[in-house]
Amino acid sequence: MTDEPTHPLIDLTPADLPRIKDLEDLVWFEVQPGGTPADLEDDLDFAHARAVERSGGPRTGEPTDGPAPLLGIYSAYDMAVTVPGPQEPVALPMTGLTWVGVHTDARRQGLLTRMITDHLERVHQRGDAAVSGLHASETGIYGRFGYGHASTEIKIELGRGTTFTAPAPIDEAAGAVSTHVVTLPTPEGRAALHEAHLACAAGTLGAVTRPDAKADQWYRDFPKSRGSKEPRRLMLATRDGQVSGYAVFRRDSKWEDATPQGGVDVSELGAVDHASLLALARRLTDLDLTSKVTFWNRSMDDPLLWWSGGPRGASVRAFDSLWIRIVDLPRALSDRGYAAPCRLVLDVTDERCAWNAGRWLLTVDEHGAATCVRTEEEADLVVPVAALGAAYLGGRSVVSLAPVHGITEHTPGALRQLSRAMRADLDPTGAIGF
């Protein structure tokens, strides 16, 4: 019989907001000027918010009344991620893990392991999603919990007046796209953003969408916190009266020797077609009193990069974006599409989610549709679950992951067969922050 953990793991409610803020301010030390505990209520989904509560009474220097401090916290959002489909990309449910933090006095005590294990078990029990996704604050943490680095974010910096050279049909179609700018932190602006966000993400591999319930709070404005920065702006592209693209951006005002040197920071950019993307990019690189535009969350396949001449002149930098953890393996592998038929037995190793471990028969037909079921057949490949998460969006080949994650091939050619089946036509884009 094992002892119960000293510090209990509890569900959080809005009544816990003061101690949630205390912990978050300590862990992240990014205190929002003028912020109050009540401001955090819209940021948390209390259906998923959990924390480790310290036991043992107050310590020296702490108040002697009130609830005990929190030692660790995590939450999640009910989101969707666009993955390869049998023909076109398809949006699948994803639980977005967020708000993960451990008190500085409680590090190296197993609290993070307890919380991540709790999260994975709850995702499995709820059955709302087959995968969990996150952005890693430190890249060395989440691989040991079975998450795989599934998409890479490219940052592109271009100068004002950059020439985008696109094929004639795209160039001509872009001329029929109109753009206009609205202030984002308004109910109307956030509603327009969410509509465009969902429409553009549907066909964009690797895109993650915000939950409907949080759409109206995502880009709230805190004037005291942003100080001299302008409110975020929303640029919308329309064609024939329909929204076909959008950009979320903010400019900073800067002058040097009486010359404007302001920058444009584009945190989100989406389009349903290449013409709308081109129209938005041309407008964003021609804003008055600016000299530089930074596009975040792009990919190496992004037409913007190549229309502008390639990476040499774009100050390209790459960062890890979305990490994927497969929680329900047969469902996750059956729900996505594949680029080539295959029949393979995968012996999946998974130390955290025992229900995933063992041999699975993955069968993909000529149309790219798959089934994944338990089998007693001999394994063609031994695959760590993190490798399947890393390959899930189609941007990383299984062949390239073999020396990274330790995939073992028992049947000659099986590694290449799985790699070709799981690979997508394009690299996934960088995911929005959450």
Side-chain angles (χ1 to χ4, degrees):
M1 183 176 179
T2 58
D3 294 332
E4 288 295 317
T6 302
H7 308 297
L9 190 57
I10 64 170
D11 293 324
L12 294 172
T13 73
D16 296 306
L17 286 170
R19 55 180 180 165
I20 291 171
K21 187 175 189 306
D22 285 344
L23 178 61
E24 286 301 298
D25 287 350
L26 177 65
V27 169
W28 297 103
F29 45 93
E30 294 178 347
V31 181
Q32 178 177 288
T36 68
D39 293 330
L40 301 179
E41 184 167 1
D42 289 334
D43 296 334
L44 280 165
D45 185 338
F46 285 99
H48 298 289
R50 303 265 282 165
V52 178
E53 182 181 66
R54 198 184 74 202
S55 59
R59 296 177 176 177
T60 303
E62 294 180 343
T64 56
D65 56 354
L70 302 179
L71 295 182
I73 187 173
Y74 82 84
S75 189
Y77 298 121
D78 295 318
M79 312 184 86
V81 60
T82 304
V83 307
Q87 301 298 324
E88 300 295 331
V90 58
L92 298 179
M94 182 192 80
T95 300
L97 180 62
T98 186
W99 278 76
V100 180
V102 175
H103 194 291
T104 187
D105 290 341
R107 297 171 65 246
R108 307 292 189 266
Q109 297 177 25
L111 267 63
L112 180 61
T113 298
R114 281 183 62 198
M115 292 192 296
I116 300 300
T117 299
D118 183 68
H119 166 68
L120 295 176
E121 290 176 347
R122 286 165 63 89
V123 172
H124 179 59
Q125 291 165 5
R126 288 168 65 104
D128 296 333
V131 300
S132 170
L134 58 81
H135 289 281
S137 56
E138 296 183 58
T139 57
I141 295 176
Y142 291 99
R144 58 192 171 100
F145 298 110
Y147 285 84
H149 168 207
S151 65
T152 298
E153 169 187 340
I154 304 299
K155 182 180 77 168
I156 301 172
E157 290 186 357
L158 300 174
R160 183 186 178 191
T162 291
T163 298
F164 295 101
T165 305
I170 296 176
D171 197 298
E172 183 179 352
V177 177
S178 62
T179 61
H180 67 277
V181 175
V182 299
T183 299
L184 179 54
T186 64
E188 296 81 5
R190 290 194 293 264
L193 166 64
H194 193 54
E195 179 183 354
H197 168 65
L198 294 178
C200 296
T204 304
L205 192 65
V208 169
T209 53
R210 288 177 278 270
D212 293 341
K214 294 295 177 182
D216 194 49
Q217 291 88 34
W218 209 270
Y219 278 111
R220 292 173 300 160
D221 191 37
F222 295 93
K224 190 170 184 178
S225 179
R226 64 176 164 82
S228 62
K229 295 180 181 178
E230 71 167 338
R232 292 191 185 275
R233 309 294 183 184
L234 173 65
M235 183 180 293
L236 291 168
T238 59
R239 185 178 48 243
D240 299 327
Q242 298 296 316
V243 172
S244 59
Y246 77 100
V248 176
F249 70 97
R250 172 181 276 164
R251 297 162 297 178
D252 69 272
S253 178
K254 184 179 180 181
W255 293 76
E256 292 182 359
D257 298 327
T259 302
Q261 298 291 321
V264 185
D265 193 76
V266 185
S267 57
E268 289 187 42
L269 175 64
V272 300
D273 53 41
H274 292 136
S276 298
L277 179 66
L278 180 59
L280 287 165
R282 284 176 169 165
R283 178 82 191 278
L284 289 163
T285 54
D286 191 33
L287 294 174
D288 291 340
L289 306 182
T290 65
S291 64
K292 182 182 71 172
V293 183
T294 302
F295 296 93
W296 295 89
N297 299 330
R298 313 311 296 169
S299 78
M300 283 300 295
D301 289 335
D302 194 328
L304 291 186
L305 181 60
W306 302 101
W307 288 336
S308 63
R312 187 180 304 181
S315 301
V316 169
R317 290 198 63 188
F319 311 87
D320 58 298
S321 185
L322 193 64
W323 292 64
I324 292 288
R325 210 297 178 192
I326 293 179
V327 182
D328 184 337
L329 187 131
R331 178 180 165 192
L333 294 188
S334 299
D335 284 353
R336 82 187 293 277
Y338 296 80
C342 68
R343 186 188 187 279
L344 295 168
V345 176
L346 311 179
D347 188 354
V348 178
T349 59
D350 192 338
E351 297 179 0
R352 303 287 175 183
C353 300
W355 54 86
N356 283 337
R359 281 173 285 176
W360 299 89
L361 174 60
L362 175 66
T363 305
V364 180
D365 66 20
E366 65 274 17
H367 304 294
T371 60
C372 184
V373 296
R374 286 279 186 189
T375 184
E376 296 299 321
E377 295 183 35
E378 293 298 316
D380 296 304
L381 293 166
V382 178
V383 187
V385 73
L388 294 174
Y392 195 69
L393 300 183
R396 302 186 67 190
S397 74
V398 177
V399 168
S400 73
L401 293 167
V404 178
H405 290 280
I407 301 172
T408 303
E409 183 181 58
H410 290 316
T411 302
L415 181 65
R416 186 178 295 271
Q417 189 178 356
L418 181 63
S419 187
R420 289 177 174 177
M422 294 193 73
R423 196 70 163 91
D425 293 330
L426 296 172
D427 280 348
T429 191
I432 61 168
F434 59 88

